[in-house]
Amino acid sequence: MLVTVEVLTIVLVATATALALAHALELPGKLRLPREQYLAMQAIYYPGFTIGGAAEPAALLLTAALLFLMPGGTAFWLTVGAFAGLLAMHAAYWILTHPVNNFWLKDTQLGGTGARFFAFGAQRASTAAENADWTVLRDRWERSHVVRAVLGLASLVLLATAIAL
């Protein structure tokens, strides 16, 4: 059972990291886009990244489960580090990224689960974002994914090392 949880955890952490890394790698090109093109591009991420984004809380939960299954010693502490990195990655989404997502999506028609997910905090975020320059929001969104990619990669390396020991 431990091996199954380890493999599933690695796959989910890798998926969550890949999504953040994909956004981070787009940064140089997207910073060159004018407002209209940038805003048009933002809508392409939904629903695909929304579906893939489910890997992030699942990875966090399975990493927590690994903490209970992992024997003590170095592997345990590496897993603690991976869990902390994933927790920080998740927090960065809710604090930095999600409020800006609500602004980008304010004129996008979403349905089902995506509509409910992005509605969380939408009113508060939309009011604050209305007064901000679009480049401030763009920079916050783009840089938040760089932070998330670094945290995800660090967590993935720590977790892979823990499992390899």
Side-chain angles (χ1 to χ4, degrees), residues 11-149:
V11 168
L12 290 170
V13 171
T15 301
T17 300
L19 296 176
L21 187 57
H23 284 309
L25 292 172
E26 294 172 337
L27 180 113
K30 285 180 71 183
L31 289 180
R32 295 190 305 241
L33 295 176
R35 183 181 195 276
E36 294 74 27
Q37 289 177 336
Y38 185 88
L39 292 176
M41 276 197 65
Q42 285 306 104
I44 69 169
Y45 296 117
Y46 315 98
F49 276 74
T50 305
I51 295 166
E56 192 169 321
L60 195 56
L61 291 173
L62 278 180
T63 304
L66 269 182
L67 289 173
F68 291 101
L69 299 172
M70 188 73 64
T74 304
F76 173 80
W77 290 109
L78 289 169
T79 306
V80 168
F83 180 78
L86 289 170
L87 193 59
M89 180 184 181
H90 201 65
Y93 173 81
W94 289 105
I95 294 166
L96 302 171
T97 312
H98 190 74
V100 182
N101 277 341
N102 283 320
F103 178 74
W104 297 143
L105 292 170
K106 70 179 184 198
D107 298 324
T108 303
Q109 189 69 16
L110 296 171
T113 305
R116 287 189 299 279
F117 178 78
F118 288 108
F120 181 77
Q123 189 62 31
R124 185 179 64 246
S126 182
T127 303
E130 288 296 330
N131 299 323
D133 175 20
W134 82 274
T135 60
V136 171
L137 296 172
R138 175 203 63 197
D139 293 349
R140 177 179 171 171
W141 193 89
E142 298 294 339
R143 290 185 177 125
S144 75
H145 285 296
V146 172
V147 168
R148 289 170 38 73

